[in-house]
Amino acid sequence: MRHERVTRRTLLATGVAAGVAARAERSREAPGAQSVAPLLTGEPAGVARPDTGVSVYPFPLSAVTLLTGPFLANQGRTQAYLKFVDADRLLHTFRLNYGLSSSATACGGWESPTTELRGHSTGHLLTALAQSYANTGDTAYKTKGDYIVGVLAQCQARAATVGFNTGFLSAFPESFIDRVEARQSVWAPYYTLHKIMAGLLDMHLLAGNAQALTVLTAMAAWVRFRMDRLTQTQRQNMLDTEFGGMNEVLANLYQVTADANHLTTAQYFDHAEIFDPLASNTDALNGYHANTQIPKAIGAIREYHATGTTRYRDIAVNFWDIVVGHHTYVIGGNSDGEYFKAPDRIASQLSDSTCEVCNSYNMLKLTRQLFFTNPARLDYLEYYERTLWNQMLGEQDPDSAHGFVTYYTPLRAGGIKTYSNDYNDFTCDHGSGMETHTKFADTVYFHDNANTIFVNLFIASTVNWAAKGVTIRQDTSFPETNSTTLTVTGNAAFTLKLRVPSWAAGATVTLNGTAVAATPGAHVTITRSWTTGDVVAMTMPMALTRSATPDSATTQAVKIGPIVLAGAYGTTNLSALPTLNPATLTATSTPLQYTATASTGTVTLLPFYKMHHQRYTVYWNVTSAQPLPEFVAWYKFDETSGTTAADATGNGKTATLAGGTAWVAGRGGNAVDLNGSTGYVTLPAGILAGAAAATVATWVRIDTLTSWSRVFDFGSSTTANMFLTPRSSSGTARFAITTSGSGGEQRINAPAALPTGAWTHVAVTLNGAVGVLYVNGAEVARSTGLTLTPASLGSTTANRIGRSQYADPYLDGAVDGLRLYSRALSASEIAALYTSGT
Ligand SMILES: [Zn+2]
């Protein structure tokens, strides 16, 4: 069944409606997040069961107010549509289905009276109205939502009268459920029912509508009735048809009501064919309709929160890792023609139907639930940021007063965005768009259940932390400027955790003008008694980088910080990726706007979120090598367990401990302890590939001095390598580099061996023919005859601390604070490293 779906294009092109085995997509809700917030923040009551396995929570939408900026502008356009749209037109097919009169004009598109998916948009609308009311307090949204709920209740009450089972509520007849159970052609009836159920739950939780919970509970009882009548095999077969987030909304309802019947019903929608491989962390997604699967993972994490069963958590975590790691384009979206492909197929899957926006809507929902579960994983928020700016913000037409949105995000060269309309579209993405653009306030800040507030995203806004009596205002025009400022109003003791993005190498943070240590890819944590007027400011340098696809090293996208830049091509279509000369990228006077020379001539690059009404390319053909960052890697070795060592530059060059290497107290924080017999540390392949200049600087404490042991040795073999030994057979320390074995070594010989039993700072700088060896901040030797550079070694595969390419002794000692640069630091910079002790 899942392969019998029709895409939107097919549907619209052929006028397909009833009778075609098909599908839909998308889903929605907020309850997952919102349902936990009320209990913990004094919001309206209504959640009976706290979530298990959660340590971070969202603020209620009412507590966060967006300030002037692109997100508020998008929200305003969608909310104008919410006020405009005629509820009676979206209730027309419901009324007809229950024998009630309706004089409303029928909708078109996927809400036409003959489209099998009819009714789904009414559910999306309820959620968008509930979110808008919760966020703005404008009762116009609640009034419209209440009216819709009232009519839906009126319909549901007539179920028996028109021959349906009690509790059935839909704009299509209950016979559609007979058909999906009998495995006959029908377009995803439970998908649509999920949208209605989620909308009702949101009207209850976010807009205080008690009738919505009554109607929803009756719907849930009807679902239980239908599912109970089936065998487990029949149920599992039925789950081959897209069903949205039925397991999620029912798990949420269980959390709200504590009625275990809803959990049982939720678990009837656990799709073994999808869950089983995910539980064992197997990527079996190739060939599956993407947005049919993503909501199942959202349901899984909510079932974990409801039950504590870790298998559900593992399914959701593994799904996210697989999709983000191996099926995701640079803008954060996934799927081509709505389907997952083989892992790491990106460059080979650039089309007009890439990145259905519903998928990303659902991935973001999943991402925040996973962060609640594991706030140590800042990569969740980095994915959130990347997708929010590069896909979601730019899916809405800024020239549409009603916030019309895209369905796919074409990523073929020459693609162009196309948008929905008021009444003749109503695709899944029109529905998820209503939701996306009314909940930007939901992830900017989180809090824990005690004393900590998290600043996740750089969006101009205020958050009212009622539990502390504190308001924090965030002023920023990021990404057009690279800074943000947080100003506290109120007096309270608490911890502020500010996310320092991994892309912001060199980021600085100040508290009331005084510098605070900041590491990209980690939180800055400030605990104090805050008072009105306290200011935390952060600057986030945004470097121009390129991101290559996994299946084609020369297919690359250009980014400034996290923002994807796309080439603007006006009305010019393209038949192939243009070839970009990255050396010609030049900033213009307009923020984030560049010009460059490409095979098509001079081209302007804009942030992709600003690309509208013209053709574009996101990916380019780039044949020149990617330059290394200046500060390549920095291993503080401050971990306390495990076998990985983080790269504090944020470049992601994670190191791996091997052979029994242990953590030991180092120079402020920890160090790695090398045992002299088996222990070493491996750095990523190609760590200095292409570098014409370099610096390796580190602290080392040699416990037992053995000739030919290695402080470091980067190479691919005994033929090609560069190393530093604390003592060569000449009796002194030596740096050497070679591409022709030991006989071809070019060397810097120190006057003495490295000292033992004390922390010693050693550094080697290479620049042109000059190599300098420093010990404890002072030059001890140099060579002016070096013709080899790290680039001469190619992309080295065996880059180690403490171990030679040869069968030499291993290092017996400890290593701390190792830094790699793609330039030669100056003598004063080396001296400063020594003096500062870092
Ligand atoms: Zn969709």
Side-chain angles (χ1 to χ4, degrees):
M1 280 297 290
R2 67 179 172 270
H3 294 290
E4 296 179 86
R5 304 167 58 101
V6 290
T7 66
R8 173 194 187 215
R9 275 164 204 282
T10 309
L11 190 80
L12 295 179
T14 60
V16 170
V20 175
R23 37 91 325 83
E25 41 275 62
R26 271 228 17 90
S27 94
R28 94 94 283 126
E29 29 302 47
Q34 295 299 327
S35 64
V36 296
L39 269 191
L40 296 159
T41 60
E43 276 291 288
V47 179
R49 304 186 77 256
D51 287 349
T52 298
V54 166
S55 59
V56 170
Y57 308 88
F59 284 91
L61 281 168
S62 58
V64 179
T65 303
L66 300 183
L67 302 175
T68 301
F71 290 97
L72 182 63
N74 276 31
Q75 178 172 294
R77 286 184 282 268
T78 294
Q79 289 180 334
Y81 177 70
L82 298 182
K83 289 189 173 179
F84 158 85
V85 74
D86 183 349
D88 285 316
R89 292 188 66 173
L90 282 157
L91 289 165
H92 178 68
T93 50
F94 284 88
R95 283 178 163 128
L96 297 184
N97 201 34
Y98 289 85
L100 297 170
S101 65
S102 171
S103 59
T105 304
C107 296
W110 289 13
E111 287 298 339
S112 82
T114 54
T115 298
E116 291 185 343
L117 212 67
R118 61 187 179 271
H120 71 113
S121 302
T122 311
H124 289 295
L125 177 60
L126 283 177
T127 292
L129 290 166
Q131 290 177 168
S132 295
Y133 169 67
N135 185 232
T136 67
D138 185 337
T139 54
Y141 306 117
K142 175 172 165 57
T143 299
K144 186 173 279 189
D146 288 347
Y147 172 73
I148 293 170
V149 171
V151 173
L152 294 178
Q154 194 183 358
C155 289
Q156 188 184 45
R158 291 175 53 83
T161 306
V162 296
F164 301 148
N165 286 299
T166 301
F168 177 70
L169 172 59
S170 179
F172 52 71
E174 193 175 355
S175 60
F176 283 26
I177 301 297
D178 299 334
R179 284 158 60 185
V180 74
E181 289 174 354
R183 311 311 298 134
Q184 297 167 351
S185 295
V186 65
W187 192 6
Y190 273 113
Y191 170 93
T192 295
L193 297 187
H194 162 246
K195 305 300 167 253
I196 297 166
M197 294 173 77
L200 289 166
L201 186 57
D202 288 336
M203 279 302 298
H204 166 62
L205 288 173
L206 303 178
N209 184 312
Q211 186 179 34
L213 182 62
T214 304
V215 174
L216 171 59
T217 304
M219 278 186 88
W222 169 85
V223 177
R224 176 76 192 264
F225 159 76
R226 293 292 312 205
M227 296 295 271
D228 273 345
R229 306 196 309 182
L230 307 178
T231 66
Q232 177 68 0
T233 299
Q234 287 174 317
R235 282 193 294 264
Q236 287 294 316
N237 288 339
M238 191 190 78
L239 298 186
D240 282 345
T241 299
E242 183 173 14
F243 57 84
M246 286 297 294
N247 52 342
E248 182 207 2
V249 70
L250 288 160
N252 289 340
L253 185 59
Y254 170 55
Q255 293 300 85
V256 169
T257 62
D259 179 347
N261 284 301
H262 302 314
L263 177 62
T264 300
T265 315
Q267 292 174 323
Y268 281 158
F269 288 89
D270 291 349
H271 193 192
E273 180 178 319
I274 301 302
F275 279 12
D276 288 349
L278 289 172
S280 62
N281 204 14
T282 299
D283 183 352
L285 295 177
N286 185 16
Y288 280 97
H289 184 260
N291 199 45
T292 295
Q293 317 313 326
I294 303 168
K296 296 174 187 174
I298 303 172
I301 193 65
R302 292 298 294 147
E303 289 173 294
Y304 167 63
H305 293 156
T307 64
T309 302
T310 54
R311 183 174 189 269
Y312 284 127
R313 181 198 60 198
D314 296 344
I315 287 166
V317 168
N318 294 341
F319 179 82
W320 191 95
D321 288 343
I322 288 168
V323 171
V324 174
H326 301 285
H327 297 274
T328 296
Y329 297 83
V330 68
I331 63 168
N334 60 59
S335 78
D336 184 12
E338 305 196 7
Y339 282 77
F340 287 126
K341 304 298 180 182
D344 299 313
R345 299 276 290 176
I346 297 295
S348 51
Q349 302 288 339
L350 301 177
S351 76
D352 278 325
S353 57
T354 41
C355 297
E356 181 186 351
V357 183
C358 292
N359 304 20
S360 296
Y361 161 89
N362 277 313
M363 284 302 295
L364 293 183
K365 265 181 77 169
L366 175 64
T367 299
R368 65 199 296 274
Q369 292 293 329
L370 293 176
F371 186 78
F372 299 154
T373 312
N374 184 0
R377 281 194 62 175
L378 285 178
D379 58 329
Y380 289 143
L381 294 178
E382 302 233 327
Y383 172 77
Y384 204 98
E385 174 179 72
R386 159 187 173 192
T387 308
L388 195 66
W389 263 269
N390 293 314
Q391 187 173 20
M392 309 316 265
L393 180 61
E395 73 144 341
Q396 191 197 74
D397 178 3
D399 298 321
S400 149
H402 286 168
F404 299 143
V405 295
T406 61
Y407 186 105
Y408 301 119
T409 305
L411 290 179
R412 78 161 174 91
I416 188 168
K417 296 174 183 176
T418 56
Y419 311 93
S420 61
N421 54 51
D422 281 331
Y423 285 112
N424 288 305
D425 178 87
F426 287 119
T427 62
C428 48
D429 294 85
H430 183 76
S432 59
M434 285 191 272
E435 300 187 30
T436 288
H437 298 272
T438 53
K439 66 182 181 81
F440 291 126
D442 74 352
T443 304
V444 185
Y445 309 96
F446 294 148
H447 63 90
D448 70 5
N449 210 2
N451 217 31
T452 300
I453 186 168
F454 295 77
V455 179
N456 305 319
L457 299 173
F458 314 116
I459 294 176
S461 56
T462 62
V463 56
N464 177 17
W465 195 3
K468 294 288 176 190
V470 162
T471 298
I472 297 175
R473 177 187 171 102
Q474 180 173 192
D475 290 292
T476 182
S477 52
F478 171 83
E480 299 208 345
T481 62
N482 66 0
S483 62
T484 191
T485 303
L486 304 164
T487 305
V488 175
T489 300
N491 303 315
F494 61 88
T495 297
L496 183 144
K497 280 185 173 291
L498 172 62
R499 182 175 69 91
V500 183
S502 70
W503 47 259
T508 59
V509 175
T510 59
L511 168 63
N512 296 331
T514 301
V516 178
T519 303
H523 280 120
V524 160
T525 301
I526 305 174
T527 301
R528 71 196 304 260
S529 289
W530 300 81
T531 57
T532 295
D534 281 343
V535 173
V536 174
M538 176 165 65
T539 59
M540 302 167 277
M542 295 167 66
L544 205 55
T545 59
R546 301 198 304 280
S547 175
T549 59
D551 47 343
S552 167
T554 56
T555 301
Q556 299 182 3
V558 177
K559 298 191 295 180
I560 174 89
I563 304 299
V564 174
L565 302 179
Y569 277 90
T571 58
T572 304
N573 207 340
L574 299 168
S575 56
L577 292 181
T579 296
L580 177 74
N581 180 353
T584 62
L585 278 163
T586 305
T588 69
S589 57
T590 303
L592 307 180
Q593 186 168 316
Y594 286 73
T595 60
T597 303
S599 52
T600 49
T602 300
V603 62
T604 298
L605 289 87
L606 309 173
F608 186 51
Y609 69 77
K610 287 190 170 180
M611 191 68 72
H612 292 282
H613 309 299
Q614 65 172 319
R615 295 188 181 276
Y616 55 78
T617 193
V618 166
Y619 288 98
W620 308 84
N621 180 44
V622 180
T623 52
S624 53
Q626 171 108 287
L628 283 174
E630 189 173 280
F631 193 2
V632 175
W634 181 16
Y635 304 101
K636 293 182 171 180
F637 295 128
D638 283 342
E639 288 83 354
T640 56
S641 63
T643 56
T644 61
D647 169 12
T649 63
N651 294 330
K653 306 289 188 186
T654 307
T656 305
L657 280 58
T661 300
W663 301 103
V664 65
R667 299 180 49 82
N670 271 343
V672 285
D673 186 29
L674 305 162
N675 60 18
S677 57
T678 56
Y680 61 100
V681 177
T682 299
L683 309 187
I687 186 91
L688 287 173
T695 297
V696 183
T698 189
W699 290 92
V700 60
R701 188 198 68 221
I702 295 168
D703 295 337
T704 306
L705 186 62
T706 48
S707 294
W708 297 121
S709 62
R710 297 288 200 262
V711 177
F712 65 85
D713 190 331
F714 302 161
S716 299
S717 64
T718 56
T719 304
N721 54 71
M722 59 181 243
F723 66 84
L724 176 67
T725 179
R727 187 175 68 191
S728 73
S729 52
S730 304
T732 67
R734 173 184 292 171
F735 169 82
I737 183 168
T738 181
T739 56
S740 52
S742 59
E745 285 178 359
Q746 300 177 357
R747 299 168 177 165
I748 311 170
N749 286 309
L754 294 183
T756 59
W759 281 107
T760 304
H761 191 258
V762 294
V764 179
T765 64
L766 304 172
N767 188 16
V770 180
V772 183
L773 179 59
Y774 298 85
V775 174
N776 287 335
E779 177 177 332
V780 297
R782 73 166 53 204
S783 168
T784 56
L786 300 181
T787 58
L788 298 174
T789 68
S792 312
L793 305 178
S795 185
T796 54
T797 55
N799 306 314
R800 298 156 176 163
I801 301 167
R803 180 180 173 185
S804 169
Q805 308 292 334
Y806 295 83
D808 291 321
Y810 287 58
L811 188 75
D812 180 10
V815 172
D816 202 359
L818 186 134
R819 296 161 176 258
L820 300 176
Y821 298 82
S822 62
R823 68 177 178 92
L825 297 190
S826 66
S828 60
E829 287 174 312
I830 297 293
L833 287 181
Y834 169 65
T835 307
S836 69
T838 60

